[in-house]
Amino acid sequence: MRFVIIGAGRVGLRTARVLAEEGHEVTLVERDATTADRAREEGFEVIEGDGSKEDILETAGIEDADALGALSGDLNVNFAACLMGKHHGCRTIMRIDEDYRENIYRKYAEEVDDIVYPERLGAIGAKNALLGGSIRAIADVAQHLQVVELTVTDESPMRGYSITELELPADARVLAFGKHDGPMRIPLPDDSLEIGDRVAVLADFEVLEDVRQILVGQTPIGGR
Amino acid sequence: MTMVTAYVMIKASTGEADRLLESIADIDGVVDAHIVAGDVDVIAKVEVDEPAAVKGIAADGVQNVRGVENTQTYIAMD
């Protein structure tokens, strides 16, 4: 696929790298000369200029891009770029700078297909690192709903039982299962929970601790 | 009597944009208000009889709405 990314800073450039690694075509738009040069040194095509200007976006190939990532630190630029990206039929992704704005853009900005708030992803990563190995947040689905990956330990009360025997509180659901040495996959009723196996669960924040105790064991988070 | 027109740029700290917009639009002297994209969240148009009243609306009216973080006021000169 073809992508245009506005902003070659810490978010835009990293996104461009990941896309390029997967074989996609990426053009970056960056208004700061030094930042643009740095991205060029990595082999990226960089258009130097203001991502809120139509001629710049056209030079970057907006007409035949599949999606536009407005990932600069400037909200006004990001929104203007999405506006034009939508006009040219792109899927549009906009980076925001403060989380309260997510609801506003989701509700009012029809020109923006999806919102990225990098700090939230950073916080999930930091939380995972702090919590250690046995529980890992995968995604915040909604304000009170989270997908977590839990690893069965030798203290797990459900160790040795099967997925069907697993009873989780408050409609928490098992979404995926992976043996300790295998990839995550659709859970089968007969899968048995052994040490090191991983279970991805969708659960309300309020019952997350109960889910953790059932699958991981009694060890308090962080240890004592 | 000459009217004074001013535009108040409002930065919020809440995602409840509807409530915010309604509370701001209800303030005496505010004649129009919109939720906008960009680094401010709402722009309100104020029309009053004298320049001093603009300050009152921005400082006491808008600033006191829950979820308003700060405001910047521009008085029209034309």
Side-chain angles (χ1 to χ4, degrees), chain B residues 6 10 22 33 35 37 41 48 51-52 56 64 66 71 74-75 77-78:
Chain B
I10 298 151
E22 232 172 84
I35 296 166
D41 301 291
V48 285
N64 283 337
R66 187 162 47 86
T71 62
Y74 298 86
I75 295 179
M77 296 193 293
D78 59 350

Side-chain angles (χ1 to χ4, degrees), chain A residues 5 9 34 36 61 76 79 114 131 179:
Chain A
I5 304 271
T34 316
N76 296 64
F79 185 73
D114 213 341
L131 292 177
K179 297 304 287 179

Side-chain angles (χ1 to χ4, degrees), chain A residues 45-60:
Chain A
E45 188 194 347
V46 186
I47 307 300
E48 214 172 297
D50 182 344
S52 65
K53 298 277 184 287
E54 190 152 26
D55 58 331
I56 297 286
L57 291 181
E58 278 166 4
T59 313

Side-chain angles (χ1 to χ4, degrees), chain B residues 5-47:
Chain B
T5 302
Y7 291 89
V8 186
M9 314 288 148
I10 298 151
K11 161 86 176 61
S13 57
T14 171
E16 301 172 83
D18 283 338
R19 178 186 58 76
L20 202 66
L21 186 65
E22 232 172 84
S23 314
I24 291 165
D26 280 350
I27 295 169
D28 270 347
V30 172
V31 293
D32 202 5
H34 289 279
I35 296 166
V36 295
D39 50 19
V40 299
D41 301 291
V42 177
I43 297 181
K45 185 180 182 185
V46 173
E47 274 178 8

Side-chain angles (χ1 to χ4, degrees), chain A residues 74-76 79 94 97-98 100-101 103-105 107-108, chain B residues 11-15 17-18 35-41:
Chain A
D74 186 322
L75 272 191
N76 296 64
F79 185 73
M94 177 170 163
D97 59 343
E98 290 188 64
Y100 79 87
R101 286 192 157 125
N103 290 333
I104 299 176
Y105 281 91
K107 184 162 176 192
Y108 295 98
Chain B
K11 161 86 176 61
S13 57
T14 171
D18 283 338
I35 296 166
V36 295
D39 50 19
V40 299
D41 301 291

Side-chain angles (χ1 to χ4, degrees), chain A residues 42-199:
Chain A
E42 286 193 31
F44 286 106
E45 188 194 347
V46 186
I47 307 300
E48 214 172 297
D50 182 344
S52 65
K53 298 277 184 287
E54 190 152 26
D55 58 331
I56 297 286
L57 291 181
E58 278 166 4
T59 313
I62 192 85
E63 281 102 340
D64 42 45
D66 295 289
L68 172 127
L71 304 179
S72 82
D74 186 322
L75 272 191
N76 296 64
V77 168
N78 288 353
F79 185 73
C82 285
L83 215 67
M84 285 180 273
K86 193 87 276 188
H87 176 74
H88 286 283
C90 292
R91 177 175 158 71
T92 56
I93 308 300
M94 177 170 163
R95 172 185 172 186
I96 54 169
D97 59 343
E98 290 188 64
D99 55 359
Y100 79 87
R101 286 192 157 125
E102 178 165 352
N103 290 333
I104 299 176
Y105 281 91
R106 284 205 194 282
K107 184 162 176 192
Y108 295 98
E110 282 164 24
E111 302 82 0
V112 178
D113 292 317
D114 213 341
I115 303 283
V116 176
Y117 178 51
E119 286 77 0
R120 169 174 305 146
L121 303 175
I124 291 177
K127 180 169 70 175
N128 288 338
L130 288 164
L131 292 177
S134 60
I135 178 165
R136 190 170 76 88
I138 297 175
D140 288 329
V141 177
Q143 211 162 13
H144 298 287
L145 210 55
Q146 196 174 49
V147 178
V148 291
E149 184 188 286
L150 303 111
T151 304
V152 178
T153 68
D154 56 354
E155 289 177 42
S156 165
M158 289 307 293
R159 188 183 143 207
Y161 288 86
S162 72
I163 294 269
T164 358
E165 289 168 309
L166 179 63
E167 276 189 38
L168 296 177
D171 299 329
R173 304 261 157 87
V174 174
L175 299 178
F177 177 76
K179 297 304 287 179
H180 73 281
D181 53 354
M184 295 299 276
R185 55 172 171 75
I186 303 286
L188 302 171
D190 288 345
D191 282 327
S192 73
L193 300 161
E194 308 296 344
I195 295 176
D197 293 353
R198 290 153 299 134
V199 186

